[in-house]
Amino acid sequence: MAILVTGGAGYIGSHTCVELLNEGYEIIVVDNFSNSKPEALKRVSEITGKSFKIYPVDVLNKDELEEVFSNHKIDSVIHFAGFKAVGESVTFPLKYYQNNITGTVVLCDLMKKYKVKNLVFSSSATVYGSTDQVPIVENTQLGAVNPYGRTKQMIEEILQDLHHSDPTWSIAILRYFNPIGAHESGRIGEDPNGIPNNLMPYISQVAVGKLQKLTVFGNDYPTKDGTGVRDYIHVVDLAIGHLKALENVQSTCGVDAYNLGTGKGYSVLEMVGAFENASGKSIPIRLSKRRPGDAATCFANPSKAKEKLNWQATRGINVMCADTWRWQRNNPDGYEKVLKTIIGSHSPVQNHAAGFLMPE
Ligand code: UFG
């Protein structure tokens, strides 16, 4: 029995694939590579020494996705595939509703048809909107404040309805706080398109010399040093959280949401200091006004995940920064250079529905 991982080539998806393979799971990856690179999966194979089937398929393409369900005995699904840029979602809301929501509905419809009812869903702390009640607990009133966040919130509601209609579904909704870091090998990590929007990839690109200085958005928040406070979580801890959630959905029925965070908040300036220590590089900063829509402070109460999933984050910010730096230093252009070589020589994306094996 296999685990289907949609969006498995992405940042969190690729790290989760490594942990799944290391635990001995058989995995099938579906990814349309619209925002990720096949090279990430090649490196997942390299890190784990294991091969697995990859389908370069869009979850919106029901016929091609159905071939995956009919070709394999799938036990459970971990669903990462989706767009995730907050700013872009404000400019192109329909693109986000179409891709994230319709994609999930198509997937669940096929899961229903093939009687696969175990699902781990990639949600986000963004569903809480701008709550000032910290630490945030799961039963806080949801209120996403942008289209991206609303897609996650709406999908959560769809999954609740699905479970209500058929209680044999077993669904874990994972609300991520701020994932950073990279695999300790330095072979896989976050590879944002263009200029990063998020703090950690921005800092690491300043450290490696690709960007000149970090703009700090606001130093007049009611926080320890006036800059925004977030709950940064190592992507490998997050990936392990998916395995714990998978074990849970495989052994129970129900639908439950879990915060995946550390429960600790760090300010922008604390993160800059930690990154300078880890990298030995100085990060020039420029103070600027607040970024619209940003909360002062956001961190999780992660005790539900500890109690019910037996999961808790173990990696601190020094490890997060050291691992981010190793990835950035070794791959200053992310996966880009290698991608050009692959596409230049031959395209592995030949027969979508047939899939291909990595490594080839
Ligand atoms: N920040 C800067 N300068 C930058 C980028 C960010 O000062 O160049 C600050 C922000 O103002 C904020 C903190 O760094 O105080 C973290 O910002 P990020 O953009 O890294 O992360 P956010 O907390 O804004 O949002 C992230 C994801 C969302 C997700 C949310 C979950 O981008 O998709 O975490 O809490 F929903």
Side-chain angles (χ1 to χ4, degrees):
M1 292 290 260
I3 311 301
L4 174 64
V5 184
T6 74
Y11 174 43
I12 303 169
S14 56
H15 287 82
T16 302
C17 287
V18 167
E19 299 306 318
L20 286 165
L21 291 165
N22 282 344
E23 278 300 308
Y25 286 99
E26 181 195 346
I27 65 169
I28 314 289
V29 170
V30 162
D31 201 303
N32 69 356
F33 300 110
S34 69
N35 197 18
S36 61
K37 313 279 164 39
E39 176 66 16
L41 293 173
K42 203 168 155 213
R43 294 187 187 187
V44 167
S45 263
E46 171 203 300
I47 291 167
T48 58
K50 295 190 174 156
S51 61
F52 52 92
K53 192 96 175 182
I54 299 161
Y55 288 85
V57 160
D58 193 321
V59 291
L60 287 171
N61 189 326
K62 192 167 188 178
D63 292 341
E64 289 189 356
L65 192 58
E66 177 147 17
E67 290 218 26
V68 181
F69 278 88
S70 61
N71 285 350
H72 301 277
K73 278 202 168 354
I74 294 169
D75 170 82
S76 309
V77 177
I78 306 183
H79 178 38
F80 293 103
F83 294 145
K84 61 172 187 182
V86 173
E88 186 189 49
S89 79
V90 175
T91 313
F92 303 108
L94 297 179
K95 176 176 159 179
Y96 273 68
Y97 290 120
Q98 166 75 355
N99 189 63
N100 293 7
I101 296 180
T102 311
T104 305
V105 171
V106 169
L107 173 69
C108 289
D109 211 24
L110 286 170
M111 289 176 70
K112 183 171 180 278
K113 179 167 175 186
Y114 286 82
K115 300 189 169 47
V116 180
K117 294 182 182 174
N118 299 329
L119 174 65
V120 176
F121 174 62
S122 166
S123 188
S124 165
T126 195
V127 296
Y128 296 117
S130 45
T131 176
D132 46 14
Q133 300 275 314
V134 287
I136 300 176
V137 287
E138 286 84 352
N139 58 9
T140 301
Q141 178 78 39
L142 304 189
V145 294
N146 56 62
Y148 160 68
R150 278 190 280 273
T151 67
K152 294 293 183 188
Q153 191 177 333
M154 288 176 195
I155 293 167
E156 289 198 7
E157 286 165 4
I158 291 168
L159 297 177
Q160 298 276 0
D161 289 342
L162 186 57
H163 174 261
H164 188 249
S165 72
D166 173 359
T168 63
W169 277 80
S170 185
I171 302 170
I173 292 166
L174 304 183
R175 296 180 181 151
Y176 313 149
F177 281 69
N178 290 57
I180 63 169
H183 190 262
E184 63 178 0
S185 63
R187 296 294 289 156
I188 57 172
E190 188 170 12
D191 182 18
N193 280 332
I195 296 175
N197 295 312
N198 297 119
L199 182 67
M200 204 19 87
Y202 203 106
I203 291 178
S204 63
Q205 291 197 14
V206 171
V208 85
K210 291 185 75 179
L211 295 168
Q212 281 193 327
K213 56 173 69 167
L214 172 74
T215 303
V216 175
F217 298 133
N219 66 342
D220 57 351
Y221 285 108
T223 59
K224 44 193 142 185
D225 58 21
T227 64
V229 167
R230 295 290 182 276
D231 186 338
Y232 296 94
I233 173 167
H234 196 296
V235 65
V236 173
D237 277 329
L238 197 60
I240 294 167
H242 289 74
L243 270 70
K244 296 288 190 184
L246 182 65
E247 285 169 23
N248 180 272
V249 296
Q250 287 176 333
S251 59
T252 56
C253 291
V255 54
D256 250 312
Y258 302 94
N259 286 340
L260 296 190
T262 64
K264 295 192 190 81
Y266 291 95
S267 73
V268 174
L269 297 181
E270 285 176 324
M271 294 310 288
V272 169
F275 200 90
E276 288 184 328
N277 282 339
S279 64
K281 301 278 177 188
S282 88
I283 310 293
I285 61 168
R286 178 177 78 89
L287 296 174
S288 164
K289 59 181 186 344
R290 295 179 180 192
R291 185 172 64 176
D294 274 358
T297 302
C298 175
F299 61 93
N301 176 337
S303 49
K304 183 175 174 187
K306 186 173 179 196
E307 265 167 43
K308 300 212 165 170
L309 303 180
N310 189 26
W311 171 89
Q312 88 187 101
T314 61
R315 293 159 179 81
I317 56 164
N318 295 333
V319 173
M320 298 184 210
C321 291
D323 289 343
T324 302
W325 175 235
R326 188 178 306 107
W327 155 254
Q328 183 70 67
R329 191 188 55 205
N330 294 350
N331 307 270
D333 296 318
Y335 299 115
E336 195 59 35
K337 260 198 194 132
V338 193
L339 178 75
K340 278 179 193 145
T341 322
I342 292 174
I343 300 268
S345 54
H346 72 287
S347 167
V349 184
Q350 287 152 352
N351 178 352
H352 285 208
F356 59 92
L357 205 58
M358 190 70 84
E360 291 188 291

